Amino acid sequence: MIWNRKRRPMPAQPRGALGIGALVRVVDVTDGGEQWVEADGSPEPIGLIVAPGGNQIVGYPGVGEPLSWTVAFDEPVYTKDGRGPFERATVLSRQLVPVEG
């Protein structure tokens, strides 16, 4: 019976890994993705990953990585072409750099 199985502990994420709850800096990349700025025009806004991005099926913990993540920002952000403000946005994984605390 599946519901009687003991849950396996989740593997610890390596330091600097992306996942829900990770504090990240959004950087520009040359191959796709939006370019983001803070309301004051500062580049590389910081936010918190709150969910996988879009309608993606995420594999088992520690296996692969979603192509994008939903990031919540503490202050509204804009795209460099002037769209916004956004409190949350779907951002490509390759644009996210973990903020070391």
Side-chain angles (χ1 to χ4, degrees), residues 66-82:
L67 299 175
S68 62
W69 292 97
T70 301
V71 178
F73 301 99
D74 59 346
E75 296 181 14
V77 297
Y78 295 81
T79 60
K80 283 190 178 176
D81 63 8

Side-chain angles (χ1 to χ4, degrees), residues 31-42:
D31 55 344
E34 294 286 348
Q35 295 181 334
W36 298 93
V37 293
E38 293 181 353
D40 64 2
S42 302

Side-chain angles (χ1 to χ4, degrees), residues 18-74:
L18 297 179
I20 296 173
L23 189 62
V24 292
R25 184 168 33 94
V26 182
V27 299
D28 291 342
V29 293
T30 57
D31 55 344
E34 294 286 348
Q35 295 181 334
W36 298 93
V37 293
E38 293 181 353
D40 64 2
S42 302
E44 301 186 350
I46 293 178
L48 185 71
I49 294 177
V50 294
N55 294 326
Q56 298 180 34
I57 297 175
V58 180
Y60 294 99
V63 178
E65 181 177 299
L67 299 175
S68 62
W69 292 97
T70 301
V71 178
F73 301 99
D74 59 346

